[in-house]
Amino acid sequence: MPESAVAMLDERGTVVAWTQAAERLLGYSAGDVVGRSAALVLPSSGETPTISALIEQCRAQNDWSGMMTVRHRDGRMLDLNHRISTLRGQDGTFRWLVSATDIGTLSRDAGNGSVRESLLTHAPIGIVVRDPQLRCVWVNDTIESHDGISRDRRLGRRITESLPGFEAEALEAVMQQALRNGTTAVHEYRVWPTEDPRREHAFSVSYFCLQDADGTTLGVCCISVDVTGNQRTRERFAILSQARTRIGSTLDIMQTGQELADLAVPLLADYAYVDLGESVPFGEEPPTRIDTMSGRPPVFLRAGQASIHPGVPESSFAPGETVFVPATLPHAGVLRTGRSYLEPVLDTSPGAWIDHDPTRAQKIREHGTHSLMIVPIIARRAVLGIALFLRTEDPVPFHEDDLLLAEELVTRAALSLDNARQYTREHTAALALQRNLLPHRLMGGAAVEAAWRYLPADTEAGVGGDWFDVIPLSGARVALVVGDVVGHGINAAATMGRLRTAVRTLADLEMPPDELLARLDGTFQRLAEADVDAADQAPTVVGATCLYAVYDPITRRCTMARAGHPPPAIIDPQGRVTFPDLPTGSPLGIGLGVPFEAVELELPEGTLLALYTDGLIETRDHDIDVGMRRLAAALAQPDRALEDLCTRATQPRPRQAPSDDVTLLLVRTRSLNPAQVASWTLPNDRTAVRSARHMAARQLTEWGLEGLQDPTQLIVSELVTNAIRHSTGPIGLRLIQHQVLTCEVFDTDANSPRLRHARAIDENGRGLFLVTQLSRRWGTRPESGGKVIWADLDSAPSHARASGTPPPRKE
């Protein structure tokens, strides 16, 4: 701030006191000017008033200001912004105090934006001149409005005598410092003036040491300015600055509400709380206005509250509890209109609005709540809730500027709350979508026992695109799948669902793993092309990895292939862990055109097979090898329950939050007893049908499944007949007893049959229709040198279905 030069003149315009600041501004020392006319510094020109004219203007105006040109000691001219105030002493004497500031300095500082406007020409200033013993000797009329002390009570007394209990000692200490050093000192204090006792005012006081001609200290001049507006502006900016960092630190709606309450107390209020519409914390779209007149009070959730008292005793609700707002409260009007409500002096008399809610009324009276503000929380024209600010201990009521500050805080919080609400909505939708798309139960059948873990990363990005599956195949086999779509959120979850559906569809076609991944890669690329063609939306498909394996419990052989996915972990019954050397393959959707390669392994019964996504083994601080060793150590106890092993393998590491979703599919292999499988090779002639029927019936009798003989014989007859009709080589027949009875017929014709609707006059075309009626499901799969047609029958045949079954044909 530019320094003010201060001088005191007597009634004739003679300089009676000078300051070091005046010497620095004009170049004249106290010895040069004290005792001489102020005309010394006035230039001799027609445009400059004479000293007599200046005195006349001082007599006519008690306090006046303007601009004046004066002469520096070195002869140059200075344009000064000046203010002249009348000071009164005892016995009716008076003096004039002149304060001046260089206009050039003001302009430069104002250009830098670093200075508030000069004290000299704006808000009324209070002036007190004290002698070296700090007794008041001169005073202007304005000072009384600052602290309420009359001129008679002030003159001849020290401030500690005029206003006991005030910050008198601190103020006198600053005065003594100015007297000792001969320099200007500044001090700020707060007071409740008698003219406005309900509102705290802030004053800035500048202290100037006054000197006579020989440099002796005459006293101290105190100039005070009401800077309440500046002070409150600084405080407001400070609070808003804190709001930028303290509100919206997370995307948690309830925490954001608590952050708003925490910031308001004690900076703005003694007690504050935030209530949000009951649907907002769950991400639902809020209404534009809340109906408070329907007879049913609006329902809110207490999102946050804070108090200057521990435990928030002013509140009747805990965070997260349901809050009802009766239509008779001003809260309802705020919700209905979207406009804030200010009650500077809260009416607590009997019959006031607070009595419409006895619980609130009791708390208000019990804790002495005397001033209240209610501000609606609005984002994108929708009402999210309300924020209330109350004062109990602070005696100053809320004013309009407090309401403006509260509205600014709430507006900033509303943006964070709406962002959190939209994130919650998308996050919830993505989780729901992913839960619906992922399997709720894994059916390993006779092939494997399965367990799994899916742990979404706790990040703002939301859920990811991990998926896993166990798909029953024909012949008691099972397909094992784990995949990972690049990215997070609802798009990744949706893409994951499309890929999982595609894998299940391709698995039903009984493709080997390498061919299935090739088809899946083509599907993924078509999805990506479709997204690119949709010009109105951003591409959602980025890339994915996948591991697909097929395990046969009859041969105990597992065939697997991967598309850029981490290799599986294989743990034999003795606890030895290996990661097979499986060709990596390119990720899905890359379009490199490199064929995928499959590897076939024989797995002893009881082998553990772990399929996982890279989130389980990758961290920001360690290589993948470290994660794979950690996984191997967790799984090297194959006798433990699968659920325990899943928990061990996915246990989060201390002080390290997961950076990606974690998925683990863990299976323990089973094998079928050779006695559960019966197979025969049949000649390709008409006698094969009778032989197949008899052998199947005999085998079912050995297994105790006589009740399945009739439908099984009919299915065998139809499938073997078709094989004889359409192939030339030997025919294979196999029966498998597991959770269902599987009947398989092999022939050398690679073409798959299709179900037809035979007309009444057709002699053929009803065989597969009968197979469909007699079995729970049927299908075909390619085999080396031909194909297999298979059909599954329930171990306990359905009487309802059997009742409509025609008797087997006689051969």
Side-chain angles (χ1 to χ4, degrees):
M1 173 179 172
E3 189 177 26
S4 298
V6 175
M8 186 181 293
L9 310 181
D10 64 12
E11 64 274 11
R12 295 184 300 275
T14 302
V15 179
V16 295
W18 196 251
T19 61
Q20 291 185 5
E23 180 178 351
R24 285 190 289 271
L25 177 63
L26 300 176
Y28 296 99
S29 67
D32 295 331
V33 296
V34 173
R36 302 179 65 180
S37 172
L40 176 67
V41 299
L42 297 178
S44 54
S45 68
E47 297 180 359
T48 303
T50 62
I51 188 63
S52 58
L54 193 63
I55 292 174
E56 288 301 321
Q57 190 168 1
C58 290
R59 291 180 182 275
Q61 301 183 38
N62 195 41
D63 194 320
W64 65 285
S65 61
M67 290 186 296
M68 178 184 296
T69 301
V70 298
R71 181 174 55 240
H72 192 275
R73 184 175 183 178
D74 61 11
R76 56 191 171 92
M77 299 300 170
L78 298 177
D79 292 326
L80 299 184
N81 194 343
H82 74 279
R83 182 166 188 165
I84 301 177
S85 303
T86 302
L87 305 182
R88 306 185 188 280
Q90 294 177 332
D91 302 327
T93 58
F94 65 91
R95 292 286 184 271
W96 289 305
L97 189 82
V98 181
S99 304
T101 305
D102 185 359
I103 293 178
T105 304
L106 278 174
S107 300
R108 288 192 298 273
D109 288 336
N112 294 332
S114 61
V115 174
R116 71 172 183 250
E117 294 187 350
S118 172
L119 300 173
L120 307 177
T121 58
H122 290 81
I125 62 173
I127 303 174
V128 177
V129 177
R130 298 181 180 276
D131 63 17
Q133 289 73 43
L134 302 183
R135 295 185 297 258
C136 176
V137 291
W138 303 98
V139 63
N140 75 341
D141 295 336
T142 304
I143 190 64
E144 183 175 348
S145 64
H146 286 189
D147 53 21
I149 304 174
S150 66
R151 186 192 314 161
D152 293 337
R153 285 179 53 200
R154 194 187 308 268
L155 286 171
R157 294 184 176 90
R158 296 171 55 173
I159 190 171
T160 52
E161 299 170 336
S162 301
L163 193 62
F166 184 61
E167 283 186 344
E169 293 183 2
L171 293 174
E172 286 198 347
V174 180
M175 296 179 203
Q176 290 169 350
Q177 176 186 355
L179 289 174
R180 284 195 306 270
N181 300 334
T183 57
T184 302
V186 179
H187 180 73
E188 289 193 4
Y189 67 94
R190 299 190 180 197
V191 70
W192 284 265
T194 54
E195 295 181 356
D196 191 7
R198 290 185 173 182
R199 187 174 186 180
E200 181 187 60
H201 285 245
F203 292 92
S204 177
V205 187
S206 299
Y207 299 95
F208 303 88
C209 179
L210 299 176
Q211 297 175 334
D212 64 6
D214 58 3
T216 303
T217 298
L218 294 175
V220 60
C221 175
C222 312
I223 301 179
S224 66
V225 181
D226 190 337
V227 294
T228 302
N230 294 341
Q231 180 75 13
R232 291 184 177 175
T233 299
R234 289 197 298 269
E235 291 175 351
R236 178 175 179 177
F237 281 127
I239 294 174
L240 294 179
S241 177
Q242 292 188 48
R244 285 193 290 269
T245 58
R246 291 179 55 182
I247 298 179
S249 61
T250 70
L251 287 172
D252 183 282
I253 294 178
M254 303 296 278
Q255 182 171 336
T256 302
Q258 183 62 51
E259 289 170 347
L260 172 57
D262 287 339
L263 178 61
V265 176
L267 294 177
L268 179 62
D270 296 332
Y271 166 49
Y273 64 82
V274 177
D275 288 343
L276 299 176
E278 60 177 340
S279 64
V280 172
F282 304 102
E284 298 180 16
E285 195 71 25
T288 303
R289 289 291 181 267
I290 296 179
D291 183 11
T292 61
M293 307 300 291
S294 62
R296 178 180 179 272
V299 181
F300 293 85
L301 292 179
R302 180 60 50 88
Q305 56 188 17
S307 168
I308 59 174
H309 301 112
V312 196
E314 301 93 335
S315 176
S316 303
F317 304 94
E321 286 190 345
T322 301
V323 179
F324 294 92
V325 177
T328 53
L329 300 186
H331 309 54
V334 170
L335 293 169
R336 188 171 57 254
T337 64
R339 293 192 294 269
S340 300
Y341 175 83
L342 169 64
E343 191 168 347
V345 180
L346 186 61
D347 185 0
T348 59
S349 62
W353 66 260
I354 65 171
D355 287 332
H356 295 158
D357 187 335
T359 302
R360 282 187 173 91
Q362 179 183 353
K363 289 288 186 180
I364 286 174
R365 292 190 174 105
E366 178 182 346
H367 294 281
T369 303
H370 64 85
S371 191
L372 171 142
M373 295 187 296
I374 308 175
V375 180
I377 304 173
I378 300 175
R380 296 186 297 115
R381 300 183 179 179
V383 178
L384 304 181
I386 52 176
L388 277 85
F389 307 90
L390 304 100
R391 281 184 176 167
T392 56
E393 301 292 333
D394 187 344
V396 181
F398 288 123
H399 284 74
E400 290 292 338
D401 51 356
D402 296 314
L403 182 60
L404 291 174
L405 175 57
E407 289 176 336
E408 182 71 24
L409 285 178
V410 171
T411 298
R412 298 193 179 200
L415 296 176
S416 298
L417 285 167
D418 192 54
N419 288 337
R421 182 196 62 78
Q422 293 186 69
Y423 164 76
T424 299
R425 182 178 185 179
E426 179 174 337
H427 184 73
T428 301
L431 281 175
L433 175 64
Q434 189 160 44
R435 290 193 186 104
N436 288 331
L437 294 175
L438 290 175
H440 298 162
R441 188 172 54 143
L442 299 181
M443 304 295 292
V448 296
E449 174 193 1
W452 58 274
R453 286 289 186 278
Y454 171 66
L455 306 175
D458 187 18
T459 66
E460 294 183 359
V463 299
D466 287 10
W467 91 91
F468 59 93
D469 218 338
V470 176
I471 307 171
L473 302 177
S474 63
R477 297 170 307 134
V478 68
L480 310 172
V481 191
V482 167
D484 184 3
V485 175
V486 174
H488 293 82
I490 197 167
N491 287 334
T495 301
M496 172 273 291
R498 298 157 84 182
L499 289 181
R500 179 173 180 255
T501 301
V503 170
R504 277 193 160 262
T505 301
L506 296 173
D508 285 342
L509 300 177
E510 303 278 2
M511 293 181 179
D514 51 346
E515 184 178 344
L516 182 141
L517 288 181
R519 294 283 191 92
L520 187 64
D521 183 41
T523 299
F524 198 95
Q525 291 186 50
R526 286 191 293 275
L527 292 175
E529 291 169 359
D531 283 346
V532 171
D533 291 340
D536 60 335
Q537 63 181 22
T540 58
V541 179
V542 179
T545 64
C546 183
L547 173 63
Y548 184 82
V550 175
Y551 173 68
D552 188 341
I554 298 175
T555 63
R556 301 194 311 278
R557 302 193 71 81
C558 183
T559 306
M560 59 185 72
R562 58 178 175 145
H565 203 82
I570 298 177
I571 303 93
D572 66 19
Q574 289 72 43
R576 291 186 294 268
V577 183
T578 59
F579 294 89
D581 186 13
L582 185 64
T584 303
S586 60
L588 302 174
I590 300 300
L592 297 180
V594 179
F596 297 97
E597 298 181 52
V599 171
E600 186 176 75
L601 303 172
E602 184 172 348
L603 304 178
E605 182 175 6
T607 297
L608 288 181
L609 191 61
L611 283 68
Y612 52 90
T613 56
D614 53 10
L616 182 62
I617 58 173
E618 282 187 346
T619 67
R620 296 187 179 95
D621 304 324
H622 300 95
D623 294 335
I624 293 180
D625 291 343
V626 175
M628 294 175 74
R629 287 195 295 270
R630 186 169 50 244
L631 175 62
L635 298 178
Q637 301 181 44
D639 294 335
R640 299 187 64 159
L642 292 185
E643 290 292 334
D644 292 343
L645 289 174
C646 280
T647 301
R648 282 171 52 87
T650 58
Q651 190 72 30
R653 290 170 291 284
R655 299 183 300 278
Q656 185 171 349
S659 58
D660 197 3
D661 297 341
V662 172
T663 298
L664 172 65
L665 173 61
L666 191 60
V667 300
R668 179 178 284 123
T669 63
R670 298 166 174 161
S671 63
L672 290 183
N673 191 304
Q676 295 176 263
V677 182
S679 58
W680 303 271
T681 301
L682 305 172
N684 195 326
D685 57 39
R686 300 291 297 178
T687 62
V689 176
R690 181 186 298 272
S691 299
R693 289 165 56 90
H694 291 165
M695 288 185 291
R698 186 168 56 250
Q699 186 62 55
L700 292 180
T701 301
E702 292 181 12
W703 286 339
L705 299 176
E706 291 86 350
L708 294 179
Q709 284 185 357
D710 288 347
T712 302
Q713 284 182 310
L714 185 52
I715 290 174
V716 167
S717 296
E718 296 298 338
L719 296 183
V720 172
T721 299
N722 284 339
I724 294 171
R725 180 176 296 136
H726 298 291
S727 66
T728 58
I731 299 169
L733 172 64
R734 184 167 73 166
L735 297 180
I736 307 171
Q737 180 199 9
H738 49 117
Q739 280 138 338
V740 295
L741 175 66
T742 299
C743 174
E744 297 182 342
V745 173
F746 168 83
D747 63 50
T748 57
D749 180 24
N751 296 318
S752 298
R754 59 186 180 88
L755 185 66
R756 295 188 302 171
H757 294 280
R759 296 173 298 176
I761 61 175
D762 290 341
E763 296 183 2
N764 300 309
R766 297 180 179 85
L768 288 179
F769 178 75
L770 292 176
V771 171
T772 301
Q773 298 301 307
L774 294 170
S775 63
R776 62 180 300 180
R777 63 175 190 149
W778 72 276
T780 180
R781 68 173 183 267
E783 287 281 342
S784 177
K787 69 175 182 297
V788 169
I789 302 178
W790 54 269
D792 287 342
L793 292 86
D794 290 322
S795 297
S798 169
H799 296 292
R801 186 166 51 199
S803 64
T805 301
R809 295 180 297 179
K810 301 294 183 180
E811 298 293 340

